[in-house]
Amino acid sequence: MSTAFAESGHAVADQSTSGQGSFPPSLSDLPVDELLALSSRYFRQLDRKHPVRDALVQYYAIARELETREAAS
């Protein structure tokens, strides 16, 4: 697994190369740019023949967090 860094400087697991990584314990702590990057990575996982386990659940969790933030603004 490789590690990428978002603009905020926080480490974000890069799942595009290994297909594995740790899901953040709290999505509410991440800035929107990192949520969007995670969303993109998980969407790419879903587009594979054999998606990473729990990728759909995690993708929807990210989408819900983004929707909640959008509704609050």
Side-chain angles (χ1 to χ4, degrees):
M1 172 178 62
S2 62
T3 302
F5 290 91
E7 291 179 19
S8 67
H10 291 97
V12 177
D14 182 3
Q15 298 170 352
S16 61
T17 56
S18 67
Q20 308 248 341
S22 61
F23 193 72
S26 175
L27 294 174
S28 62
D29 294 339
L30 296 177
V32 171
D33 61 330
E34 289 182 37
L35 284 173
L36 292 171
L38 275 175
S39 173
S40 179
R41 285 187 202 110
Y42 277 92
F43 186 81
R44 285 194 305 268
Q45 290 297 322
L46 294 172
D47 197 31
R48 294 183 176 184
K49 185 175 182 176
H50 300 289
V52 173
R53 182 176 173 214
D54 296 329
L56 184 61
V57 172
Q58 293 167 340
Y59 177 78
Y60 281 130
I62 296 165
R64 278 193 307 272
E65 179 65 25
L66 288 167
E67 288 172 355
T68 299
R69 291 186 189 192
E70 179 66 26
S73 60

